[in-house]
C-alpha cells in the first residue's frame, strides 16, 4: 500500500492541506538522476576527440553503466539524447550569462561577459568544451540564442554594433565563440588569450578597437571575481 502523508503546515479553514506521495517523489528523483547519468555519458562519449567513427548508443550505455533498456526508456535515438543535452546546455549557459549581465547597461559588455563565461568554462572543463566543439548543439529557439539575438539588436540600435543582418551577426558571434571553445578543448589558453579572443569577436561585430579591449578586459575581471561563488561548474572544478 502506498503511504500518503499529509504535511503539517497551517492551512486556511475550508482548504485541504496538500497531500505528498513520497513514493512518487522518490521515483521522480530516481528518474531525474538516471536522465542526468545518461546525458553525462552522452557528453563524455561525444566529447572524445580520439574516437574513431561516430558515437553509437552502445557507447553511451557502456559509459553510463546501464542497460540498453534504460536508455530506450528515455530516448528513442542517440540524436534525441544529443538534442536534449543541447537544450539543457543552452538553458544553463543562458541562465549563467543572464545572471551576470542582467544589470549591465552596455550590449557590448553583455556580449563580452557571455563570451568570457563560455571560454572560461571551456578552459576549465575539457569534456564540456569537447562536446560543444564536436556536436555544435545550441538550438536556435533556445533562451540562450534568443538572448544573444536580442543583445545584438539592442547594440545595433544604439550604434555600438555595425552590421546589416542580425542573422549573419548571430551566426558569426556564436560560431566565433564555438571556435574559441574548440581551441580550449585541445589546449589550455592563458587568460590573456581568452581576452584577445573576446576582443576579436567584438571587433567582428563592428565594435571600435579601444572599446572592445576595454569591455573584454572588464568582462574577464567580472567573471574572475564572481565565478567562484556564482557559477556552479567553477566551484566543482576546484
Amino acid at each position: 500500500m502506498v503511504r500518503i502523508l499529509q504535511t503539517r503546515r497551517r492551512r486556511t479553514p475550508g482548504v485541504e492541506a496538500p497531500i505528498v506521495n513520497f513514493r512518487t517523489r522518490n521515483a521522480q528523483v530516481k528518474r531525474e538522476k538516471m536522465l542526468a547519468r545518461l546525458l553525462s555519458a552522452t557528453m563524455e562519449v561525444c566529447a572524445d576527440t580520439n574516437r574513431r567513427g561516430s558515437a553509437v548508443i552502445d557507447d553511451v550505455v557502456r559509459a553510463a553503466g546501464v542497460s540498453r533498456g534504460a536508455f530506450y526508456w528515455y530516448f528513442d535515438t542517440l540524436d534525441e539524447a544529443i538534442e536534449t543535452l543541447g537544450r539543457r546546455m543552452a538553458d544553463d549557459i543562458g541562465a549563467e550569462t543572464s545572471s551576470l549581465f542582467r544589470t549591465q547597461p552596455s550590449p557590448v559588455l553583455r556580449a563580452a561577459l557571455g563570451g568570457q563565461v563560455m571560454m572560461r568554462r571551456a578552459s576549465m572543463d575539457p569534456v564540456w568544451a569537447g562536446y560543444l566543439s564536436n556536436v555544435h548543439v545550441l538550438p536556435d529557439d533556445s533562451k540562450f540564442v534568443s538572448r544573444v539575438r536580442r543583445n545584438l539588436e539592442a547594440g545595433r540600435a544604439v550604434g555600438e554594433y555595425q552590421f546589416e543582418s542580425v542573422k549573419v551577426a548571430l551566426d558569426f558571434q556564436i560560431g566565433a565563440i564555438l571556435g574559441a571553445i574548440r581551441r580550449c578543448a585541445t589546449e589550455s589558453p592563458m587568460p590573456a588569450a581568452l581576452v584577445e579572443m573576446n576582443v576579436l569577436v567584438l571587433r567582428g561585430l563592428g565594435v571600435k578597437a579601444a572599446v572592445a579591449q576595454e569591455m573584454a578586459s572588464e568582462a574577464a575581471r567580472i567573471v574572475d571575481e564572481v565565478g567562484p561563488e556564482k557559477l556552479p561548474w567553477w566551484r566543482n572544478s576546484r
Side-chain angles (χ1 to χ4, degrees), residues 1-78:
M1 178 181 297
V2 178
R3 296 181 62 192
I4 306 296
L5 302 181
Q6 290 187 335
T7 61
R8 296 184 178 180
R9 295 177 182 173
R10 184 177 301 172
R11 64 177 184 265
T12 304
V15 178
E16 292 296 326
I19 297 177
V20 180
N21 186 325
F22 289 100
R23 182 171 295 180
T24 299
R25 178 186 296 174
N26 288 338
Q28 291 173 341
V29 170
K30 289 181 179 179
R31 284 195 294 270
E32 182 58 34
K33 286 183 177 180
M34 176 57 74
L35 176 59
R37 185 173 179 177
L38 288 168
L39 293 178
S40 177
T42 299
M43 181 185 294
E44 178 185 340
V45 167
C46 294
D48 186 0
T49 56
N50 296 318
R51 174 174 303 281
R52 293 183 177 180
S54 300
V56 296
I57 290 174
D58 283 342
D59 296 323
V60 174
V61 166
R62 190 160 41 248
V66 301
S67 66
R68 285 178 64 89
F71 180 91
Y72 284 117
W73 180 263
Y74 293 89
F75 309 109
D76 291 330
T77 64
L78 181 56

Side-chain angles (χ1 to χ4, degrees), residues 178-214:
L178 287 176
I181 287 173
R182 188 178 303 111
R183 175 60 58 86
C184 293
T186 57
E187 58 185 73
S188 299
M190 298 295 290
L194 301 184
V195 172
E196 183 178 3
M197 291 178 191
N198 225 347
V199 170
L200 292 175
V201 174
L202 296 176
R203 292 289 308 278
L205 294 172
V207 179
K208 294 180 180 180
V211 176
Q213 182 66 53
E214 178 185 356

Side-chain angles (χ1 to χ4, degrees), residues 214-235:
E214 178 185 356
M215 294 295 99
S217 298
E218 178 65 5
R221 185 194 66 77
I222 292 173
V223 172
D224 285 346
E225 179 180 324
V226 305
E229 298 300 326
K230 291 190 176 182
L231 300 175
W233 50 264
W234 192 305
R235 294 194 297 270

Side-chain angles (χ1 to χ4, degrees), residues 25-196:
R25 178 186 296 174
N26 288 338
Q28 291 173 341
V29 170
K30 289 181 179 179
R31 284 195 294 270
E32 182 58 34
K33 286 183 177 180
M34 176 57 74
L35 176 59
R37 185 173 179 177
L38 288 168
L39 293 178
S40 177
T42 299
M43 181 185 294
E44 178 185 340
V45 167
C46 294
D48 186 0
T49 56
N50 296 318
R51 174 174 303 281
R52 293 183 177 180
S54 300
V56 296
I57 290 174
D58 283 342
D59 296 323
V60 174
V61 166
R62 190 160 41 248
V66 301
S67 66
R68 285 178 64 89
F71 180 91
Y72 284 117
W73 180 263
Y74 293 89
F75 309 109
D76 291 330
T77 64
L78 181 56
D79 285 343
E80 185 180 346
I82 289 172
E83 181 181 356
T84 299
L85 178 56
R87 288 191 175 279
R88 287 201 171 197
M89 292 177 73
D91 288 345
D92 288 345
I93 295 169
E96 290 171 357
T97 54
S98 177
S99 67
L100 288 180
F101 67 51
R102 187 180 296 116
T103 59
Q104 301 296 340
S106 169
V108 177
L109 181 54
R110 292 199 294 264
L113 282 168
Q116 183 68 20
V117 167
M118 294 179 71
M119 290 187 294
R120 198 73 168 90
R121 178 167 186 175
S123 69
M124 299 169 71
D125 188 346
V127 173
W128 183 87
Y131 182 82
L132 274 183
S133 299
N134 290 343
V135 180
H136 305 297
V137 178
L138 288 176
D140 289 340
D141 60 348
S142 66
K143 292 180 180 178
F144 166 70
V145 174
S146 296
R147 288 191 178 107
V148 174
R149 183 183 298 108
R150 288 197 301 270
N151 193 61
L152 286 170
E153 292 170 343
R156 184 175 65 173
V158 296
E160 294 189 310
Y161 296 143
Q162 304 295 325
F163 54 79
E164 294 296 327
S165 169
V166 174
K167 185 179 185 302
V168 171
L170 180 67
D171 289 344
F172 164 76
Q173 184 179 1
I174 293 179
I177 293 297
L178 287 176
I181 287 173
R182 188 178 303 111
R183 175 60 58 86
C184 293
T186 57
E187 58 185 73
S188 299
M190 298 295 290
L194 301 184
V195 172
E196 183 178 3

